[in-house]
Amino acid sequence: MEKRANLFVCVLLTTLVLAVLITCSKAGELKGTFDDNFSKSCPETHFKTSEDGQIWYLSLDKQAGCGFMTRQRYRYGWFSMKLKLVGGDSAGVVTAYYMCSENAAGPERDELDIEFLGNRTGQPYLLQTNIYKNGTGNREMRHVLWFDPTEDFHTYSILWNTHQIVFFVDQVPIRVFKNANYTNNFFPSEKPMYLFSSIWNADDWATRGGVEKTDWKKAPFVSSYKEFNVDACQWEDPYPACVATTADNWWDQYKAWHLSEDQKLDYAWVQRNLVIYDYCKDTQRFPKLPEECWLSPWA
Ligand SMILES: *[C@@H]1O[C@H](CO)[C@@H](O)[C@H](O)[C@H]1NC(C)=O
Ligand SMILES: *[C@@H]1O[C@H](CO)[C@@H](O)[C@H](O)[C@H]1NC(C)=O
Ligand SMILES: *[C@@H]1O[C@H](CO)[C@@H](O)[C@H](O)[C@H]1NC(C)=O
Ligand SMILES: *[C@@H]1O[C@H](CO)[C@@H](O)[C@H](O)[C@H]1NC(C)=O
C-alpha cells in the first residue's frame, strides 16, 4: 500500500515536473522568437505582444514611435510578413516595412522600401515603394490597394535576387524592378540588408503632401505584425557561400528571375488599375527618364 502510494506520488511529481519543463521551454521558445531575431528601439510602453508572443503591436503617440530590426543581414532572398495597419483616422502616420544596408540613413545606403501612408477615416491608404542604391532613391511608385489594409492582416513580401526585385501584396506582384545585364547605378545588389519595420509621424509630407496633419487626440496609433518569414541568404563576413546557386536557394533560381505567366497577368492588372504614381512616367520631374525606366519588366 505504502509502496503504491509512493509510486503514485512519484508519478505525480514526474508529471508535474514534465509539465513545468514543457511549459517553460515552450514559453522560452516563443518569448525567444522576437529577441533572438530582432532588436527593437522604442520605449517598453510602445511595444507589446499578444499573450502567445505571436503578434506584435507597435504604437505611436506624440511622445514616441516604435521600430524593430533583424539582428542578421541578408543578401538575396524572400522576405515576408503579415501586417495590419492603423485603422480609423491615421492621416500623417506612416508604417514602414523596409530593408536597408545600414542601421541609420547613411549617405551610401541601399534600401528597399514599403511605406503605408495613413489617411483620414474612410479614405484609402496609399502604399509607396522606393529603391535606393548607394544613397540615391527618387524611385517612388504609389499604389492603392484592392482591400482595406486596416481590417485584417495581409502579406507583404519582397523577392530579391541578382535579376529582379519584386514587391508582392498577398502573392500579387505589384512592382517589378529589373537588373540590367551591365554594371549599373540603380540595382542594389552588393550590400547585405537588415529588415526593419517602424511606425512614425510624417505629417510634414505623408498625407496629401503634408496638408493633412496627425490628429493626436486619436493616439495611440497601433500597427500589428505577425508571421515574419525569411528564406534568404544570411550574411556572414566576408561573403556567404549561399550566394552560389544551390538547390535550396529557390529565390535565386531561373524561375525566380522572371514573373510566371500567371504573375504577369496579375501584374498587368495592377498596372492598369492600382498605380497612381510612377516615377518612370513623371517627365516633369525627369525630363530625361532614368535609364532603368527603359528596361522591360518582362525581360
Ligand atoms: C533567428 O535567430 C536564430 C538564433 O539566433 C538563428 O539561428 C536564425 O537563423 C534566425 N533566423 C533568421 C530568419 O534570421
Ligand atoms: C557611393 O556614394 C558615395 C558618396 O555619395 C560616393 O563617394 C561613392 O563613389 C559611391 N560609390 C559608388 C560605387 O558609386
Ligand atoms: C544584354 O542583353 C541584350 C539583350 O538580350 C544583348 O543584346 C546584349 O548584348 C547584352 N549585353 C551584355 C553586356 O551582356
Ligand atoms: C487619401 O485619400 C484621398 C481621397 O481619396 C486621396 O486623394 C489620397 O491620395 C489618399 N492618400 C494620401 C496618402 O493622401
Side-chain angles (χ1 to χ4, degrees):
M1 193 62 203
E2 204 186 303
K3 235 186 180 169
R4 276 186 111 186
N6 274 343
L7 188 67
F8 178 73
V9 169
C10 189
V11 167
L12 191 72
L13 274 177
T14 313
T15 312
L16 266 174
V17 166
L18 273 179
V20 167
L21 275 179
I22 288 169
T23 315
C24 287
S25 69
K26 229 176 158 181
E29 240 174 65
L30 295 177
K31 195 163 167 283
T33 311
F34 185 88
D35 289 329
D36 279 356
N37 296 97
F38 299 95
S39 61
K40 58 177 187 282
S41 57
C42 42
E44 284 301 322
T45 45
H46 288 56
F47 179 86
K48 294 203 167 57
T49 69
S50 59
E51 216 153 277
D52 64 3
Q54 299 298 298
I55 307 179
W56 314 330
Y57 305 100
L58 267 55
S59 71
L60 166 75
D61 61 20
K62 207 163 185 175
Q63 279 69 49
C66 182
F68 62 78
M69 65 184 282
T70 54
R71 295 189 186 278
Q72 300 293 336
R73 285 179 299 169
Y74 310 90
R75 182 164 175 262
Y76 305 135
W78 169 260
F79 308 87
S80 184
M81 196 153 201
K82 290 193 173 166
L83 271 76
K84 185 177 158 189
L85 301 172
V86 177
D89 187 337
S90 59
V93 176
V94 172
T95 300
Y97 167 58
Y98 61 105
M99 301 191 60
C100 188
S101 56
E102 291 165 37
N103 190 355
E108 297 184 19
R109 73 191 190 279
D110 285 358
E111 190 174 310
L112 310 175
D113 275 338
I114 300 181
E115 291 176 328
F116 300 91
L117 314 183
N119 218 338
R120 293 288 173 219
T121 309
Q123 306 291 349
Y125 257 76
L126 291 188
L127 188 154
Q128 170 167 297
T129 52
N130 200 356
I131 292 159
Y132 284 75
K133 168 132 175 162
N134 198 38
T136 304
N138 301 324
R139 302 191 175 93
E140 298 90 352
M141 278 189 84
R142 287 181 173 193
H143 293 76
V144 285
L145 298 168
W146 60 97
F147 52 82
D148 179 350
T150 70
E151 262 181 7
D152 214 340
F153 283 96
H154 290 269
T155 309
Y156 303 91
S157 320
I158 298 172
L159 170 71
W160 176 33
N161 59 44
T162 44
H163 292 252
Q164 62 179 1
I165 291 162
V166 185
F167 295 94
F168 291 87
V169 176
D170 287 341
Q171 279 75 54
V172 174
I174 62 152
R175 178 171 186 180
V176 179
F177 191 78
K178 302 298 285 188
N179 200 355
N181 60 354
Y182 54 85
T183 309
N184 63 70
N185 271 321
F186 54 83
F187 193 90
S189 55
E190 294 89 19
K191 296 173 187 162
M193 299 197 227
Y194 300 96
L195 188 127
F196 296 77
S197 190
S198 60
I199 179 169
W200 40 285
N201 177 39
D203 68 1
D204 53 333
W205 62 272
T207 306
R208 294 211 298 124
V211 174
E212 305 278 353
K213 296 297 175 193
T214 304
D215 182 356
W216 293 111
K217 288 196 294 292
K218 305 281 163 44
F221 303 101
V222 178
S223 49
S224 319
Y225 300 79
K226 66 179 183 182
E227 292 173 41
F228 172 63
N229 183 0
V230 169
D231 199 356
C233 182
Q234 194 169 302
W235 183 263
E236 282 154 42
D237 284 324
Y239 197 81
C242 56
V243 164
T245 305
T246 66
D248 35 80
N249 290 358
W250 64 269
W251 65 85
D252 203 8
Q253 304 277 322
Y254 181 78
K255 269 174 88 172
W257 294 350
H258 320 266
L259 298 186
S260 70
E261 291 307 311
D262 283 349
Q263 287 175 333
K264 285 180 190 171
L265 291 177
D266 284 348
Y267 181 68
W269 173 78
V270 170
Q271 295 297 108
R272 282 196 310 273
N273 296 294
L274 306 180
V275 176
I276 61 166
Y277 179 79
D278 182 351
Y279 80 108
C280 277
K281 302 234 161 79
D282 192 343
T283 49
Q284 241 177 337
R285 185 176 170 204
F286 302 105
K288 185 175 179 291
L289 286 178
E291 59 181 308
E292 70 271 18
C293 294
W294 300 102
L295 298 175
S296 161
W298 310 121

